[in-house]
Amino acid sequence: MLSYQHAYHAGNLADVHKHALLASALDHLTRKDKALSYFETHAGRGLYKLDGSEALKTGEAAQGIGRVADWFTPDHPYARARAMVTAEHGPAAYPGSPLIAAALLRGFDTMTLAELHPAEVAALREAMPQRYVQLLQEDGLAMALSRTPPDPRRGMMLIDPSYEVKTDYDRIPDLIAKLHRKWNVGVVMLWYPVLSNNAHSAMAQTLRMRFSDALSHEVRFAPARPGHGMIGSGIFVLNPPFPLQDEATRLSRLYAAL
Ligand code: SAM
């Protein structure tokens, strides 16, 4: 039974880290006039409300994008994607990763999104009526292996689990290794929480050891509430587009100064 709902956390400091790097990677990949295959294993509902009861209850968005929006100039791809979504859905709208990707991808790219929770799938379908988007109500990690290598081969996958199933931390290094063997040109971006109990550490270390050319980037921040276990955000990227390191370095400086 899945209980995680991203609406309580959308726009928090972890989302800002993940979405800024996702948008920067896609901005780079879409500069070439060649089609891309884009995947998400854990898509969520796509569209969130910063003034919704869930966001107001936790206050995470207020401590997140509400506080750091000026880190991103209007021409930053994350700011551009947010502006496209607020123009359509109003100033309190916040795009999840599928809407950020849709804002930056071109009409000839393909999107395949997996999400398991029925209510999230229904909301995602409403938020993304585009015909070139394939929505799958299935296990995202199984989808990652069954749909790769894609055609076109050039492309990117975001793996963004909720880590409700604690075995995800053990499964992910092998999954990423298999995925990389099947799709060695794919840009694979994994998000994970940095936790005060270090539950993420073995996974992150294994990934860094196995893939020494990958981009591994962590930022730290104060927990959203006293005693809350998440004290930072981690991103691990296979085949990182070259300029992503510069954006990661810039974000390191900004988070350190928070
Ligand atoms: N990627 C989204 C974003 O950045 O806007 C947030 C996704 S949220 C962290 C994780 C999502 O994964 C939740 O919506 C949850 O319902 C979904 N989920 C949990 N287990 C899943 C599975 N095995 N396969 C696909 N989706 C799953």
Side-chain angles (χ1 to χ4, degrees):
M1 178 66 189
L2 298 171
S3 59
Y4 178 89
Q5 287 181 271
H6 197 63
Y8 290 95
H9 313 289
N12 68 7
L13 286 170
D15 254 12
V16 170
H17 179 223
K18 168 181 67 186
H19 291 161
L21 290 175
L22 170 67
S24 298
L26 284 173
D27 178 54
H28 181 75
L29 291 172
T30 51
R31 284 181 185 201
K32 230 187 208 169
D33 199 18
K34 274 191 167 176
L36 287 174
S37 299
Y38 178 76
F39 298 89
E40 291 198 15
T41 55
H42 299 73
R45 57 176 38 223
L47 186 59
Y48 300 92
K49 285 166 74 180
L50 298 181
D51 60 356
S53 58
E54 295 94 339
L56 296 178
K57 184 166 182 201
T58 62
E60 290 186 30
Q63 291 175 50
I65 191 63
R67 188 169 157 212
V68 305
D70 66 354
W71 286 357
F72 305 95
T73 52
D75 62 337
H76 190 288
Y78 174 42
R80 280 195 276 124
R82 287 188 53 229
M84 284 166 78
V85 168
T86 52
E88 189 176 346
H89 299 282
Y94 181 80
S97 47
L99 260 71
I100 290 174
L104 299 169
L105 291 169
R106 294 87 33 105
F108 52 84
D109 298 319
T110 63
M111 286 184 90
T112 307
L113 308 172
E115 168 58 52
L116 213 46
H117 198 295
E120 301 298 279
V121 173
L124 183 57
R125 193 158 281 133
E126 204 172 308
M128 305 209 64
Q130 296 93 328
R131 248 178 283 137
Y132 64 90
V133 180
Q134 194 176 14
L135 299 188
L136 307 167
Q137 187 174 353
E138 59 184 65
D139 174 58
L141 298 183
M143 179 281 279
L145 294 178
S146 68
R147 306 270 164 164
T148 50
D151 181 18
R153 260 181 113 79
R154 230 181 135 245
M156 176 165 184
M157 178 179 291
L158 174 66
I159 303 178
D160 185 19
S162 44
Y163 297 94
E164 270 178 284
V165 183
K166 297 302 165 212
T167 49
D168 278 353
Y169 291 111
D170 302 326
R171 286 172 69 199
I172 280 173
D174 280 346
L175 174 108
I176 288 192
K178 270 191 206 149
L179 188 58
H180 188 55
R181 276 197 295 277
K182 293 187 76 181
W183 187 30
N184 62 352
V185 298
V187 177
V188 176
M189 178 179 277
L190 170 74
W191 178 84
Y192 59 89
V194 172
L195 298 168
S196 54
N197 67 5
N198 285 321
H200 65 286
S201 302
M203 178 189 79
Q205 259 171 29
T206 305
L207 286 169
R208 284 194 283 266
M209 265 165 35
R210 283 203 196 171
F211 302 100
S212 51
D213 293 342
L215 171 71
S216 175
H217 186 246
E218 290 184 359
V219 292
R220 303 275 170 147
F221 41 76
R225 291 170 288 289
H228 190 64
M230 187 167 75
I231 54 166
S233 167
I235 286 283
F236 186 83
V237 191
L238 294 186
N239 297 319
F242 178 65
L244 207 57
Q245 181 61 60
D246 290 345
E247 178 62 358
T249 304
R250 190 183 81 90
L251 290 171
S252 289
R253 276 199 302 272
L254 291 164
Y255 276 88
L258 256 183

